[in-house]
DNA sequence: TGGCTATATGCCTATATTGCCATATAGGAG
DNA sequence: CTCCTATATGGCAATATAGGCATATAGCCA
């Protein structure tokens, strides 16, 4: 059992563990987006969004490239989108379990 | 865009965002495991492992049942295992990117 | 009942994450 | 060069997470 690989995978999960970052990844599913558009999308401070994006970039999930004075982010590993479906499944099962208790 | 669903999904990601919890989920892939075995596996304090398990349980990823004086945990949503593969892919791409810089 | 094992929880401290503000940096337009 | 827009970073305060110790709870066995 290689502990280090678990730690690295946990870092990827950590990068996904924020509402704003998931919103941005969902938007990047279709097309590359500039920071300005993503900022408007999540509705937080521009500096906050920039930090979220650097977290995704450091995790290896997105990459960036400049176009003029704007920076566009690109979804580098679309497989993370599979997680969205699984997370939905988890949430739905949890909801059912909660309701059965009531 | 439903913000709440992103928040719920982020909670699932957060539950996955720890080395010890990933190790335990990997072990639960094959069979249900008692807290005692999982404690030995991750090598942390029993109370720490118990807390990690309650995080996975609250997220809806695992369930538990008693057998005698032991509590066994069960992987309720095996789809989270797909995340392992994707995380590995992300890590590998990140490693390649790092190496190309050197 | 008493003692042993297994598990969960409260408490505390250390560390990490988040978010905004202020500011630095860079590119484009005039 | 100057101004404006776009983005990144440093700093700070608030909050969340993690981990161990002590302890409570529960089941089993004698």
């Amino acid at each position: 059992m290689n502990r280090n690989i678990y730690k690295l995978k946990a870092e990827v999960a950590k990068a996904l563990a924020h509402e704003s970052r998931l919103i941005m990844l969902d938007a990047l599913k279709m097309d590359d987006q500039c920071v300005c558009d993503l900022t408007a999308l999540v509705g937080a401070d521009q500096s906050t969004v920039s930090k979220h994006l650097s977290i995704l970039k450091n995790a290896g999930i997105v990459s960036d490239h400049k176009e003029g004075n704007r920076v566009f982010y690109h979804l580098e590993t679309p497989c993370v989108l599979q997680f969205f479906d699984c997370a939905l499944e988890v949430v739905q099962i949890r909801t059912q379990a909660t309701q059965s208790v009531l």
Side-chain angles (χ1 to χ4, degrees), chain A:
Chain A
M1 182 191 68
N2 188 347
R3 270 179 184 270
N4 202 45
I5 195 68
Y6 286 106
K7 197 164 215 163
L8 290 168
K9 289 179 182 178
E11 281 173 27
V12 176
K14 207 171 291 188
L16 297 176
H18 194 287
E19 176 189 1
S20 299
R21 295 196 286 271
L22 293 185
I23 290 172
M24 293 193 284
L25 288 175
D26 218 3
L28 290 171
K29 174 171 58 181
M30 297 307 290
D31 261 312
D32 295 1
Q33 308 270 336
C34 67
V35 180
C36 49
D37 287 342
L38 293 170
T39 298
L41 179 66
V42 308
D45 193 272
Q46 176 271 320
S47 68
T48 301
V49 172
S50 183
K51 282 175 188 169
H52 280 307
L53 286 166
S54 82
I55 288 170
L56 290 172
K57 185 178 154 189
N58 288 332
I61 298 171
V62 303
S63 61
D64 61 345
H65 64 276
K66 271 201 160 183
E67 285 188 26
N69 60 348
R70 287 187 292 175
V71 176
F72 283 79
Y73 280 82
H74 170 74
L75 182 55
E76 201 67 38
T77 48
C79 67
V80 297
L81 297 173
Q82 296 169 4
F83 167 75
F84 283 66
D85 297 327
C86 176
L88 186 61
E89 184 183 330
V90 172
V91 168
Q92 286 172 338
I93 289 178
R94 181 169 56 183
T95 304
Q96 289 168 14
T98 307
Q99 287 175 343
S100 70
V101 169
L102 299 179

